[in-house]
């Protein structure tokens, strides 16, 4: 080393100081063999450095001339020659070994560096021109939503699935509180994701336009080496990469990520509706609960009402509408007022609106005494975007700008002006909808419901017949789900046995996942078809019942593909019948729903009882088939009993709406319909036209309206609104029809064979002892309607079997009577109500006492509204002289009065008794009878009774008085023959009494009614049979002097009066003290005639 140092230091290539420094640094490396080799290489390097240092900046020209390499080799040789032999050999051997290795290492390093550079360049080129990659890591809160979308909507073949119960949404405060308190929790939801490891696989994704894209999927997980207590529960950082090859367009992956995120958030969000309430302490919203989204079909509203409001609200939230509000300078808010009776579905409708549009519901309790105007305004401003502010029952909080006086529901700390400013003030919220509900719109202040605060007013009314029908179908209709449609074309296969029959009507409810393609272009969704049953799981749909029964291609709904998940809702005829029995707009939806639920629970109880008692026969022993048969039996019994027992749902006293009543129907309710033509003739056509002042005027219209009697007294009570008629006048509801029928005929064994005397005793006892209430029986149902289909339709339950199952009555007699009671109720029903009054019902049961079959057979005669009358029945027929005299047995004098111009009673009702006697040629007693009837003399009720019309029970009593040994049934049959359906007769007491008096036997009395020559001949027939009596021969002219004398004076008509007083000769006349008073007593009533006679007497005396 010293020699090399000396030699090198003496060379001309390197300064001495630099050389010594380098050698000293080299010698410090050690003396090992490795150090020697390293020193040799270092020496060579030093020589090379020294060479370049000596050459300096002139090496480039030297290199260009080709002399540099030669000089370098020469320099190295000189250095080696200067070394000792053994050292030179060592250095030479080391260089021989290390130099190639160094060269190879240098070449390898250069090659590796060049490979990495080229590979990176190639990778960058491929990534830029041949693929596109999108990465998404789990630090984003929607990371799991993307994985859920990939796992549920895309097919990823990983071979393993990850399950998790971690909720995708933040739990509500109540849920967290329940967890902290250790309360019961519901079963958590399971979420499944594909277990993606590394570069797992690829999947195909179809975009909205139908394009299919192949996307490669990879996952990278980075595990931290250290975890603190604060992040121990955190997940390991991970990233998923989505790659598409041979494209550089990132729009597909962006669209995939956007679609996946929207789809999963929509699935997670639209499936539930979050309901927010005010925080307990501060003015902020807190999530109270999440409710399942309610389908629009679950809230049954009038046709078009829900669609109108949903479309209006959807239009409000559209971007176009928002821009229009902004450009027009109108506050972007909209209010809705839902008003109607309680229980009609206003709150449920608000929930449906929120679910349909994906809105959160912010429930505001205005009666909170801890909330003031500032809190209310802050809450409305802080409402979540695209939310619904729901204020329920605002009429119970503020009444005419004042807080309600009820302290339990009072206005609390909120003022009416504070509410108005919060809804529509300068600092009011925008971008939300406000929904107010009220039961009484008329109680709300106009400022609260004006446009700008309540822009849309929606009236939610009570159930219509269409709503009742749809509600019934919702409860009891079969809804088989389509498994596949169009295999073969035109057939539908259901998931389970459908239970439908040929001819059944169904509604095809097309679902979102069940879109179908029809070859004939028919609209399937919400369309009505008719079923042809092919087998238990397969049907075909036709456009009419005949085509469904016939089969073939005519009218076939030819589905070519799709339809999975679609529902076929049965439109049963029981539902249609049920809808017709519900009065229009008189039953709330809540009441209707509760009634149907009750029938379903009762049916389940009955089926369970039959199953426990071994009375329920199963056709298949499998568990699934048993459940299906039980479910169908429950629906079958419940639907039939719901139709039959609809009277339980109705309450006439509460649900009846006041409608105009004709005067005929008004009077007919209490059996006074015979007077309707007279009232209509004088302008009183409606019930409200009837006033008390008509009582004085009606006496001039008809003798029956003037003569005091039972019917006239009842008419006056009706006009005055006497409370004693309220119970009889009211219409009977359906339950009253059934219960009265059962109470009347539950014991019919004795009356039919009793004599009139025994029946009278029983009636007297019944009048003092009230009838016991009938044994309460569970309502049964109406007769099931036969199916319109073919003979393949399942037979309905036998009626008595259904009654026995639903009522608990086991005796055949009781079941038959119960069956008749339900039929009686159905025959008197019209649209869920009846127009039969309590008075009419009682009269009907009295007419058919002890005869339930007769009462049922003839009950339809009670339903005869005024609109069904003929023109002849509507026409007023004034009482004729013959008609009036006939009713009191004096029809023989009719011709005498008619000849003098008295054809109608009104023309001679003003005559005195003597005038009637004179003009009619009657006796004094007969004239008194006529005069009492014409004047309505209440002091002679014995005479007036002869003229009055008897009612049903009066006729029965007259019959029993004439024939005491007759059966009560025979007396009723006789009275039924003489009266109409309401017990009103066309004959008077006198006519019936005389007829019965003249009838020698009971049979002749029964068979002689309306026969020619009978006193009970109809008025038309009696008028046609009238014959004028023959005129008597004129009397011989008197030979007395007085007759000739009066004949000369033209007063021969008074001669008989003089002759009767023995004033026959001239001497008798002259001796008689005649004056005006004496002549008046003789019958000369006219003053002029008396003066003429007295003058003639004076002349006779002067001549004498």
């Amino acid at each position: 080393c010293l020699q090399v140092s000396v030699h090198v230091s003496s060379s001309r290539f390197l300064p001495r100081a630099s050389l010594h420094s380098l050698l000293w640094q080299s010698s410090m490396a050690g003396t090992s063999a490795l150090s020697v080799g390293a020193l040799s290489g270092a020496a060579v390097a030093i020589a090379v450095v020294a060479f370049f240092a000596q050459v300096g900046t002139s090496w480039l020209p030297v290199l260009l001339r080709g002399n540099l390499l030669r000089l370098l080799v020469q320099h190295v040789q000189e250095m080696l020659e200067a070394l000792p032999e053994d050292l030179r050999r060592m250095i030479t051997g080391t260089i021989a070994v290390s130099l190639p290795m160094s060269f190879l290492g240098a070449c390898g390093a250069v090659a590796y560096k060049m490979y990495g550079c080229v590979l990176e360049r190639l990778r960058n080129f491929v990534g830029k021109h041949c693929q596109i990659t999108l990465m998404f890591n789990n630090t984003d809160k929607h990371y799991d939503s993307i994985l859920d979308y990939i796992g549920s909507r895309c097919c990823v073949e990983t071979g393993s699935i990850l399950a998790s119960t971690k909720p995708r949404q933040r739990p509500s405060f109540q849920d967290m509180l329940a967890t902290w308190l250790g309360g019961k929790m519901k079963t958590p939801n399971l979420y499944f994701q594909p277990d993606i490891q590394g570069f797992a696989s690829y999947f195909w994704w179809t975009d909205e336009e139908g394009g299919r894209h192949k996307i490669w999927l990879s996952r990278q997980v980075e595990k931290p080496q250290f975890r603190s207590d604060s992040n121990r529960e955190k997940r390991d950082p991970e990233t998923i990469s989505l790659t598409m090859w041979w494209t550089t367009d990132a729009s597909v992956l962006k669209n995939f990520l956007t679609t996946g995120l929207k789809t999963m958030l929509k699935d997670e969000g639209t499936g539930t509706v979050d309901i927010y309430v005010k925080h307990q302490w501060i003015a902020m919203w807190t999530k109270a609960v999440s409710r399942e989204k309610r389908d629009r079909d679950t809230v049954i509203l009038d046709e078009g009402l829900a669609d109108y409001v949903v479309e209006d609200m959807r239009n409000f939230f559209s971007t176009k509408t928002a821009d229009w509000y902004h450009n027009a300078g109108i506050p972007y808010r909209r209010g809705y007022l839902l008003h109607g009776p309680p229980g009609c579905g206003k709150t449920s409708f608000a929930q449906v609106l929120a679910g349909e549009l994906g809105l959160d519901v912010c429930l505001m309790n205005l009666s909170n005494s801890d909330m003031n105007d500032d809190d209310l305004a802050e809450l409305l401003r802080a409402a979540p975007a695209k939310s619904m502010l729901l204020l329920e029952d605002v009429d119970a909080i503020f009444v005419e700008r004042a807080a309600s006086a009820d302290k339990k529901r009072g206005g609390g700390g909120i003022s009416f002006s504070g509410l108005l400013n919060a809804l529509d003030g300068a600092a009011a919220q925008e971008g939300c909808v406000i929904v107010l509900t009220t039961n009484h719109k008329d109680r709300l202040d106009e400022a609260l419901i004006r446009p700008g605060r309540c822009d849309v007013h929606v009236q939610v009314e009570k159930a219509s017949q269409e709503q009742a029908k749809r509600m019934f179908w919702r409860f009891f209709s079969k809804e088989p789900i389509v498994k596949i449609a169009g295999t073969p074309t035109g057939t539908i296969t259901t998931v389970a046995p459908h239970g439908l029959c040929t001819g059944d009507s169904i509604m095809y409810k097309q679902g979102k996942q069940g879109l179908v393609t029809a070859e004939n272009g028919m609209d399937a969704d919400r369309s009505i078809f008719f079923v042809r049953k092919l087998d238990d799981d397969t049907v075909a749909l036709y456009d009419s019942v005949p085509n469904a029964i016939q089969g073939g291609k005519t009218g076939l709904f030819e589905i070519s593909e799709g339809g999975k998940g679609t529902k076929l809702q049965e439109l049963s005829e029981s539902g249609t019948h049920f809808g017709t029995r519900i009065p229009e707009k008189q039953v709330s939806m809540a009441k209707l729903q509760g009634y149907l639920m009750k029938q379903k629970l009762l049916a389940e109880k009955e089926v369970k009882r039959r199953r426990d008692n071994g009375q329920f026969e199963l056709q298949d022993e499998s568990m699934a088939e048993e459940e299906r048969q039980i479910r169908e039996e429950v629906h079958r019994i419940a639907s039939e009993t719901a139709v039959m027992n609809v009277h339980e749902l109705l309450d006439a006293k509460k649900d009846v709406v006041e409608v105009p009543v004709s005067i005929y129907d008004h009077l007919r309710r209490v059996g006074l319909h015979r007077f309707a033509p007279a009232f209509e003739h004088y302008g009183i056509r409606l019930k409200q036209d009837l006033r008390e002042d008509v009582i004085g005027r009606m006496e001039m219209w008809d003798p029956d309206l003037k003569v005091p009697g039972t019917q006239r007294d009842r008419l006056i009570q009706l006009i005055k609104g006497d409370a004693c008629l309220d119970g009889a006048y009211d219409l009977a509801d359906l339950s009253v029809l059934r219960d009265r029928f059962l109470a009347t005929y539950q014991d019919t064994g004795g009356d039919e064979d009793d004599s009139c005397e025994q029946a009278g005793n029983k009636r007297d006892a019944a009048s003092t002892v009230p009838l016991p209430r009938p044994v309460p029986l569970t309502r049964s149902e109406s007769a099931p309607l036969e199916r319109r289909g073919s003979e393949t339709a399942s037979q309905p339950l036998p009626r008595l079997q259904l009654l026995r199952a639903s009522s608990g009555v086991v005796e055949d007699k009781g079941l038959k009577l119960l069956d008749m009671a339900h039929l009686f109720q159905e025959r008197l029903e019209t649209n869920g109500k009846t127009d039969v009054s309590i008075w009419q019902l009682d009269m009907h049961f009295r007419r058919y006492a002890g005869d339930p079959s007769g009462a049922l057979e003839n009950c339809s005669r009670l339903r005869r509204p005024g609109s069904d009358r003929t023109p002849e029945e509507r026409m007023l027929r004034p009482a004729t002289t013959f008609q009036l005299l006939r009713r009191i047995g004096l029809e023989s004098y009719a011709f005498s009065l008619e000849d003098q111009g008295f054809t109608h009673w009104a023309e001679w009702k003003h005559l005195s008794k003597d005038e009637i006697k004179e003009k009619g040629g009657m006796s004094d007693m007969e004239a008194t009878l006529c005069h009492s009837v014409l004047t309505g003399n209440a002091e002679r009720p014995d005479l007036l009774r002869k003229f009055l019309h008897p009612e049903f029970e009066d006729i029965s009593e007259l019959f029993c008085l004439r024939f005491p040994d007759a059966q009560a049934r025979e007396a009723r049959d006789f009275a039924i023959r003489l009266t109409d359906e309401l017990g009103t007769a066309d004959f008077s007491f006198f006519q019936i009494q005389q007829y019965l008096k003249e009838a020698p036997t009971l049979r002749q009395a029964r068979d002689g009614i309306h026969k020619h020559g009978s006193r009970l001949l109809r008025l038309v027939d009696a008028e046609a049979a009238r014959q004028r009596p023959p005129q008597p021969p004129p009397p011989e002219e008197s030979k007395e002097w007085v007759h000739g004398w009066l004949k000369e004076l033209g007063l021969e008509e008074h001669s008989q009066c003089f002759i009767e007083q023995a004033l026959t000769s001239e001497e008798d006349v002259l001796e008689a003290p005649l004056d005006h008073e004496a002549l008046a007593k003789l019958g000369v009533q006219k003053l002029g005639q008396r003066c003429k006679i007295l003058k003639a007497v004076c002349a006779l005396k002067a001549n004498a």
Side-chain angles (χ1 to χ4, degrees), residues 116-128:
C117 182
V118 172
L119 184 62
E120 186 68 22
R121 291 276 185 173
L122 182 62
R123 181 181 299 167
N124 291 338
F125 178 83
V126 172
K128 184 176 181 180

Side-chain angles (χ1 to χ4, degrees), residues 606-716:
E606 171 61 22
V607 172
K608 182 178 182 300
R609 183 190 63 79
R610 289 167 51 187
R611 181 184 179 187
D612 295 340
N613 295 338
Q615 300 175 355
F616 189 77
E617 298 181 1
L618 297 175
Q619 301 176 358
D620 195 332
E621 305 224 349
S622 66
M623 183 66 69
E625 183 64 21
E626 178 182 356
E627 292 180 357
R628 186 186 68 82
Q629 293 182 28
I630 291 176
R631 183 171 59 254
E632 289 185 357
E633 186 68 12
V634 168
H635 281 192
R636 189 179 184 182
I637 295 177
S639 61
E640 294 178 357
T641 54
V643 175
M644 177 176 288
N645 299 331
V646 73
H647 56 271
E648 295 182 355
L649 183 62
L650 306 177
D651 187 351
K653 294 180 180 179
K654 295 182 179 179
D655 294 333
V656 165
V657 178
E658 186 68 23
V659 295
V661 179
S662 67
I663 191 64
Y664 174 85
D665 296 332
H666 178 58
L667 297 176
R668 193 174 187 273
R669 288 192 184 184
V670 286
L672 302 175
H673 51 290
R674 66 163 58 251
F675 303 130
F679 283 90
E680 292 173 342
H681 179 77
Y682 290 100
I684 302 176
R685 302 184 178 276
L686 297 176
K687 172 185 174 181
Q688 53 265 34
D689 298 335
L690 202 58
R691 301 289 185 268
E692 290 191 22
D693 58 355
V694 80
I695 297 176
R697 292 187 286 120
M698 70 181 185
E699 296 180 356
M700 310 297 293
W701 301 345
D702 192 91
D704 287 311
L705 296 175
K706 186 173 184 178
V707 176
T710 304
Q711 295 185 9
R712 182 179 182 274
D713 295 341
R714 189 161 66 244
L715 175 61
I716 293 176

Side-chain angles (χ1 to χ4, degrees), residues 709-986:
T710 304
Q711 295 185 9
R712 182 179 182 274
D713 295 341
R714 189 161 66 244
L715 175 61
I716 293 176
Q717 291 175 349
L718 181 65
I719 295 175
K720 292 183 177 181
D722 198 324
C724 65
L725 284 182
D726 289 346
Y729 178 84
D730 292 339
L731 294 177
D733 59 23
L734 298 183
S735 60
V736 170
L737 296 179
R738 174 187 177 276
D739 293 341
R740 288 288 183 97
F741 190 94
L742 293 175
T744 303
Y745 300 114
Q746 62 182 353
D747 184 11
T748 59
D751 286 351
E752 293 196 23
D753 297 329
D754 290 343
S755 65
C756 288
E757 183 178 358
Q758 294 171 336
N761 295 335
K762 289 188 176 183
R763 284 197 300 269
D764 294 340
S767 63
T768 57
V769 180
L771 287 174
R773 292 184 61 84
V775 178
L777 301 174
T778 304
R779 266 66 171 175
S780 53
E781 66 147 40
S782 61
L785 297 175
E786 294 183 0
R787 294 181 182 267
R788 293 182 289 179
S790 63
E791 64 278 356
T792 59
S794 61
Q795 296 297 324
L797 288 174
R799 189 177 179 90
L800 294 183
Q801 177 183 346
L802 181 63
L803 291 173
R804 182 180 290 108
S806 60
S807 67
V809 180
V810 295
E811 299 85 359
D812 290 341
K813 181 179 179 181
L815 288 174
K816 291 179 180 179
L817 182 61
L818 187 61
D819 183 23
M820 296 173 68
H822 281 286
L823 290 175
F824 180 80
Q825 169 190 295
E826 292 176 10
R827 292 182 183 182
L828 293 179
E829 174 194 346
T830 304
N831 295 329
K833 55 185 178 181
T834 178
D835 53 3
V836 177
S837 67
I838 300 295
W839 191 95
Q840 295 171 339
L841 189 64
D842 291 341
M843 175 57 69
H844 185 73
F845 289 146
R846 289 198 297 270
R847 283 166 58 83
Y848 298 98
D851 184 13
S853 299
L856 176 61
E857 182 179 355
N858 297 281
C859 66
S860 58
R861 299 177 62 188
L862 293 174
R863 299 176 55 186
R864 192 168 185 269
S867 57
D868 293 344
R869 291 182 297 164
T870 63
E872 291 77 12
E873 293 174 330
R874 296 172 182 270
M875 185 182 300
L876 174 64
R877 297 181 180 275
T880 63
T881 300
F882 172 76
Q883 180 181 357
L884 185 144
L885 294 176
R886 181 173 179 260
R887 287 171 58 177
I888 55 179
L890 303 177
E891 61 270 24
S892 60
Y893 298 103
F895 285 111
S896 299
L897 292 172
E898 290 171 352
D899 291 343
Q900 300 179 57
F902 303 124
T903 57
H904 294 86
W905 78 282
E907 297 171 347
W908 58 290
K909 62 183 178 181
H910 61 279
L911 297 180
S912 64
K913 184 189 75 172
D914 294 334
E915 290 176 327
I916 295 174
K917 177 181 176 182
E918 177 186 354
K919 296 182 181 300
M922 303 178 187
S923 65
D924 188 71
M925 183 180 297
E926 293 170 340
T928 301
L929 175 59
C930 280
H931 187 263
S932 297
V933 171
L934 291 173
T935 59
N937 187 6
E939 297 179 356
R940 295 298 304 270
D942 56 327
L943 300 180
L944 298 181
R945 188 174 187 271
K946 294 182 179 182
F947 176 79
L948 297 176
H949 289 290
E951 294 185 324
F952 177 81
E953 290 184 339
D954 299 324
I955 299 175
S956 299
E957 185 176 354
L958 292 176
F959 188 88
C960 291
L961 291 175
R962 174 65 180 85
F963 304 104
D965 296 332
Q967 303 296 330
R969 174 174 49 82
E970 295 174 326
R972 289 194 299 272
D973 291 343
F974 178 79
I976 289 174
R977 288 170 177 258
L978 293 179
T979 58
D980 62 6
E981 65 275 5
L982 298 182
T984 302
D986 290 331

Side-chain angles (χ1 to χ4, degrees), residues 188-452:
N189 296 326
L190 279 172
Y191 300 91
F192 300 97
Q193 297 176 350
D195 184 15
I196 305 170
Q197 299 294 337
F199 206 83
S201 183
Y202 63 87
F203 60 87
W204 289 96
W205 176 68
T206 303
D207 59 19
E208 298 176 353
E209 298 178 357
R212 288 171 55 86
H213 306 281
K214 187 176 183 180
I215 301 177
W216 292 84
L217 178 68
S218 64
R219 175 171 174 245
Q220 297 84 31
V221 180
E222 178 184 355
K223 293 186 177 181
Q225 297 183 2
F226 299 99
R227 291 181 183 270
S228 63
D229 294 337
S230 60
N231 64 356
R232 188 174 300 277
E233 299 298 329
K234 293 183 178 180
R235 300 170 57 181
D236 294 335
E238 63 180 55
T239 304
I240 58 171
S241 299
L242 305 175
T243 303
M244 292 184 62
W245 286 94
W246 317 120
T247 181
T248 59
D249 186 8
S251 61
V252 176
L253 291 180
K254 292 179 181 178
N255 187 24
F256 169 80
L257 197 63
T258 303
T259 303
L261 192 60
K262 288 183 178 180
T263 302
M264 297 312 296
L265 291 180
K266 182 179 180 182
D267 291 344
E268 295 172 3
T270 58
T272 60
V273 174
D274 294 335
I275 299 178
Y276 293 85
V277 297
K278 178 185 175 297
H279 194 275
Q280 185 175 1
W281 298 293
I282 58 178
M284 63 173 291
W285 295 106
T286 179
K287 181 179 176 182
V289 67
S290 293
R291 298 293 186 191
E292 292 292 332
K293 172 189 171 183
R294 295 193 62 172
D295 189 3
R296 192 187 303 185
D297 292 338
T298 63
V299 179
I300 301 175
L301 301 172
D302 276 342
E303 292 293 335
L305 179 61
D307 296 337
Y308 165 72
V309 181
V310 169
E311 290 303 320
D312 183 85
M313 195 173 291
R314 181 177 286 116
N315 178 67
F316 171 75
F317 282 113
S318 66
T319 305
K320 181 179 180 180
T321 302
D323 293 340
W324 182 88
Y325 270 83
H326 176 72
N327 296 332
I330 301 175
Y332 184 49
R333 63 176 72 96
R334 195 161 182 81
Y336 296 82
L337 176 66
L338 307 181
H339 61 94
C344 293
K346 296 183 291 295
T347 302
S348 299
F349 186 27
Q351 294 178 1
V352 167
L353 293 175
E356 284 287 328
L357 300 174
L359 307 178
D360 294 328
V361 177
C362 297
L363 188 59
M364 181 73 67
N365 182 14
L366 299 180
S367 62
N368 188 350
S369 59
D370 296 330
M371 185 166 58
N372 54 32
D373 293 345
D374 293 337
D375 294 338
L376 176 63
E378 179 61 28
L379 285 172
L380 295 185
R381 285 193 296 268
K386 200 177 180 183
S387 62
M388 174 190 294
L389 299 172
L390 180 59
L391 284 71
E392 294 188 282
D393 296 328
V394 291
D395 60 293
I397 308 301
F398 294 102
V399 180
E400 297 181 354
R401 293 183 176 263
S404 175
D406 188 352
K407 297 189 176 181
K408 294 182 179 179
R409 298 181 304 164
I414 300 176
S415 64
F416 186 75
S417 61
L419 175 61
L420 297 183
N421 291 330
L423 294 177
D424 193 28
Q429 57 77 36
E430 294 190 9
C432 298
V433 294
I434 301 175
V435 177
L436 284 72
T437 68
T438 178
N439 297 332
H440 306 282
K441 178 183 176 182
D442 55 333
R443 297 182 183 178
L444 300 180
D445 192 279
E446 289 295 331
L448 180 61
I449 60 176
R450 67 161 175 79

Side-chain angles (χ1 to χ4, degrees), residues 956-1031:
S956 299
E957 185 176 354
L958 292 176
F959 188 88
C960 291
L961 291 175
R962 174 65 180 85
F963 304 104
D965 296 332
Q967 303 296 330
R969 174 174 49 82
E970 295 174 326
R972 289 194 299 272
D973 291 343
F974 178 79
I976 289 174
R977 288 170 177 258
L978 293 179
T979 58
D980 62 6
E981 65 275 5
L982 298 182
T984 302
D986 290 331
F987 305 101
S988 66
F989 273 96
F990 176 83
Q991 291 175 283
I992 297 175
Q993 283 176 323
Q994 289 300 113
Y995 172 81
L996 291 174
K997 183 178 180 180
E998 295 171 359
T1001 63
L1002 185 150
R1003 181 174 183 180
Q1004 291 178 347
R1006 182 187 60 194
D1007 298 338
I1009 301 175
H1010 304 318
K1011 287 188 176 180
H1012 183 71
S1014 170
R1015 285 187 176 272
L1016 300 185
L1017 197 64
R1018 295 183 178 89
L1019 179 61
V1020 177
D1021 298 332
E1023 288 180 342
R1026 291 179 62 191
Q1027 292 182 359
R1028 183 179 291 274
Q1031 294 292 335

